[in-house]
Amino acid sequence: MKIDATDAVAALSELVEAGFTHDFRIQNGKLVDVSAGLVVNPADVTVRTKLRFETEPESGDASNIYALEIADTGVKGFLVDALDLEGDGAPQDLVKSLERAEPDTRSEMTENEDYRYGVRKVRKSEFNADPERYVLRLGFPDFPECPFGQGFTMLGFDTAKQEYVWLVTKIIGDERLQRVPFQGEDSEA
């Protein structure tokens, strides 16, 4: 399947135009067709294409978009892995299918390389200079709008500037990064 887009948002538009209209997500360790409200058996999934958009070539910071088709039903849709976790928390048979798919890797160069999806990008060197300054917020209701139309489930936060930031993938796996789940209006960080 050929996609001409040079960024992840445009790729999603092309997929939708090509009939990949269902929104798939990993929820509680299961693949869910959010559009239909149904859990999908990963064994019934065929990966039609895997697109990998790197913010900078060889940077290790990327988003993956998978075009998926469900056997028997013919339902087609997309799974967005904006944090490049490649199946983190997903059913293992789905992870294997995703890993087997050959990526079409592109560099997603933007006019301003210091921003990603509308928020300031924090690189590993900046994080290393003051790792306690940044946290990963989970499930906060005040996340900025996601350009994929899905909504963020987690996002970096700069506690010094009190603003949301995009943490490059290498930071997400860093054991020094504190994870802060939303616990109501009195939640801090």
Side-chain angles (χ1 to χ4, degrees):
M1 166 174 212
K2 184 164 176 24
I3 299 291
D4 295 320
T6 57
D7 66 68
V9 176
L12 283 176
S13 293
E14 280 191 48
L15 284 172
V16 170
E17 287 176 19
F20 289 81
T21 57
H22 285 242
D23 177 6
F24 294 101
R25 298 187 197 177
I26 305 300
Q27 296 178 342
N28 299 320
K30 296 179 180 172
L31 179 64
V32 177
D33 178 347
V34 177
S35 305
L38 300 171
V39 174
V40 176
N41 180 353
D44 295 337
V45 174
T46 301
V47 179
R48 293 292 175 207
T49 193
K50 173 182 177 180
L51 301 167
R52 180 176 175 81
F53 292 94
E54 296 180 338
T55 55
E56 299 168 26
E58 307 299 320
S59 70
D61 186 30
S63 297
N64 296 309
I65 298 175
Y66 305 93
L68 306 178
E69 186 170 354
I70 309 304
D72 297 331
T73 66
V75 167
K76 297 190 292 185
F78 55 86
L79 173 65
V80 177
D81 178 10
L83 296 172
D84 194 26
L85 300 176
E86 189 89 359
D88 187 42
Q92 287 305 300
D93 43 354
L94 176 62
V95 171
K96 289 176 186 166
S97 293
L98 298 177
E99 288 173 345
R100 280 193 304 268
E102 187 64 36
D104 179 354
T105 304
R106 299 152 189 226
S107 178
E108 187 179 47
M109 303 301 263
T110 61
E111 286 183 26
N112 189 341
E113 287 299 314
D114 293 331
Y115 282 81
R116 183 141 193 224
Y117 306 130
V119 293
R120 184 173 60 86
K121 183 173 16 174
V122 175
R123 292 178 172 78
K124 185 73 175 200
S125 58
E126 185 179 349
F127 174 79
N128 285 339
D130 189 2
E132 293 181 9
R133 174 178 173 169
Y134 302 97
V135 298
L136 183 65
R137 284 187 166 184
L138 309 168
F140 276 66
D142 64 341
F143 287 149
E145 187 175 322
C146 173
F148 299 120
Q150 295 184 348
F152 292 108
T153 57
M154 65 177 104
L155 201 56
F157 190 76
D158 181 337
T159 60
K161 290 188 175 182
Q162 292 292 298
E163 67 181 10
Y164 283 104
V165 296
W166 184 268
L167 302 173
V168 298
T169 307
K170 291 178 182 178
I171 297 172
I172 301 295
D174 192 302
E175 62 187 32
R176 298 173 295 169
L177 179 63
Q178 180 186 1
R179 285 154 172 75
V180 180
F182 182 71
Q183 297 176 3
E185 295 303 317
D186 296 331
S187 184
E188 295 186 20

